[in-house]
Amino acid sequence: MDPWQNLVSRCSAWWQMHTPHALRACVYEVCKPLVPLLLCIAALVALIVYALADNLHSFVSRIFIPQYHYPYAVPLAFIQVFLILLALLALHGVGLIHLKPFSLRLAERLFVPAVCGSVQCVLAVWAEACSHSGLYSLIARFLPMVSVSLGHLFALNMPGSIHVLSLLTVLTFASVSITACEGLHAMEPLEYVYSPLSLVLHSMSLAWLAKVAQTERSNTSTFDLYYTLTVTRTLLLGFLCVLHPDGPKALSNGNWHSLLFLGYMLGMLLLSAVQLLFVDATVLYLSALPAAVLHATRGLVLPLFSLF
């Protein structure tokens, strides 16, 4: 089943369980012709909200990391993922969602996307701290196209017609061409390695996660899948924090008595956690391509505004 159709069928099932028959019949007659339009509006709103959150996150990061000299990517990525885990446990604690105990079987299936996603989170924080040339964000714009290729390789249900994919290809190359013509700043040697590595890891994480979700959808709830993925990521990043030399430095060099320092850090990490949650939820409920488009929206669209 197409991911969009699957999402609509889930919403329809919930509606049938919670509303009277007469009201359902009336609403269906009125809203049935509007469903495609409403889905398009909802997708557009999600893209705008994510792009605004991404822009605000970049703004806060550009203030926090240079001002407080805190470029410790591994500990920051760990806290970011740990915040999502705390949110899931809090929702479970108040009864809004139900989470099953951590499953080793699911963790084994999700190990590859957890590893790829964890390393990509670290590289994303590193890019905010150390990559100022624009190469990282430039290469990240190819994420939707690479996700399409991996989606075919993994035999995923990919929403969107050939016209949508063609439009996405034109938009990607137009955005990259405009940025390349404007020129890039001086690049560090590590950017040549980390930028394409992040693209490969991110696309692999999205495609593999979508494949596991597509396979396990009939046996496991989406919340259990995401809970297992988040616990695995937290353990991996926590282990990396212990091994990485930035771990002790992050504790000793932090200005923990400053409320401004804590406020900037918390704002940056909450914004990045919300972005990660948006992308992962899109993968689990839809597929890898919509999640890739969501993540790359700001980078793809922003250069086009410079033409006007």
Side-chain angles (χ1 to χ4, degrees):
M1 182 184 293
D2 185 88
W4 293 104
Q5 295 176 354
N6 181 58
L7 181 62
V8 171
S9 65
R10 287 188 181 189
C11 295
S12 177
W14 182 91
W15 178 262
Q16 291 177 9
M17 291 174 59
H18 293 81
T19 54
H21 176 73
L23 178 60
R24 290 201 306 269
C26 179
V27 172
Y28 280 148
E29 289 297 326
V30 174
C31 295
K32 189 175 180 180
L34 300 177
V35 168
L37 178 61
L38 293 175
L39 287 175
C40 290
I41 293 174
L44 182 61
V45 169
L47 290 173
I48 292 173
V49 170
Y50 186 89
L52 291 174
D54 190 18
N55 192 41
L56 182 58
H57 171 258
S58 296
F59 173 75
V60 176
S61 299
R62 286 195 301 268
I63 294 175
F64 171 74
I65 294 175
Q67 180 173 339
Y68 292 99
H69 307 288
Y70 204 81
Y72 306 115
V74 177
L76 289 174
F78 168 74
I79 299 172
Q80 168 188 323
V81 176
F82 187 64
L83 287 174
I84 298 177
L85 179 60
L86 289 180
L88 291 174
L89 292 175
L91 292 174
H92 173 70
V94 299
L96 292 178
I97 61 174
H98 175 70
L99 298 174
K100 293 180 181 178
F102 179 76
S103 170
L104 284 176
R105 182 190 67 84
L106 276 180
E108 290 176 0
R109 299 211 60 190
L110 292 167
F111 186 73
V112 173
V115 171
C116 294
S118 298
V119 178
Q120 195 277 327
C121 283
V122 174
L123 293 178
V125 178
W126 173 87
E128 293 286 354
C130 305
S131 176
H132 306 296
S133 68
L135 180 64
Y136 184 92
S137 61
L138 181 70
I139 292 181
R141 296 173 199 175
F142 290 98
L143 182 63
M145 298 182 63
V146 179
S147 298
V148 170
S149 302
L150 288 179
H152 290 300
L153 182 64
F154 283 84
L156 298 175
N157 293 328
M158 303 292 288
S161 63
I162 187 64
H163 303 290
V164 175
L165 298 179
S166 301
L167 177 62
L168 189 59
T169 303
V170 171
L171 181 63
T172 300
F173 281 103
S175 175
V176 170
S177 300
I178 293 170
T179 305
C181 290
E182 292 176 351
L184 299 174
H185 300 289
M187 288 176 278
E188 296 185 10
L190 284 177
E191 292 186 69
Y192 293 104
V193 178
Y194 286 170
S195 299
L197 178 61
S198 176
L199 174 65
V200 172
L201 290 175
H202 202 176
S203 56
M204 179 67 73
S205 173
L206 295 180
W208 202 299
L209 180 57
K211 183 65 176 178
V212 175
Q214 184 175 303
T215 307
E216 296 287 339
R217 191 165 282 146
S218 58
N219 304 319
T220 309
S221 73
T222 302
F223 287 115
D224 290 331
L225 276 173
Y226 193 53
Y227 173 68
T228 304
L229 176 70
T230 306
V231 171
T232 308
R233 281 177 177 169
T234 305
L235 293 174
L236 289 170
L237 287 171
F239 183 67
L240 187 58
C241 278
V242 173
L243 296 180
H244 201 278
D246 278 355
K249 292 179 183 178
L251 290 175
S252 60
N253 294 342
N255 191 3
W256 305 109
H257 299 291
S258 169
L259 291 179
L260 200 57
F261 171 86
L262 295 174
Y264 273 124
M265 173 185 273
L266 184 61
M268 181 184 71
L269 293 174
L270 284 176
L271 285 168
S272 58
V274 169
Q275 288 178 268
L276 181 61
L277 181 62
F278 261 64
V279 172
D280 290 338
T282 306
V283 176
L284 292 172
Y285 279 104
L286 299 176
S287 188
L289 178 58
V293 172
L294 180 67
H295 181 76
T297 296
R298 176 171 168 259
L300 289 173
V301 175
L302 200 58
L304 301 179
F305 288 112
S306 64
L307 298 177
F308 301 101

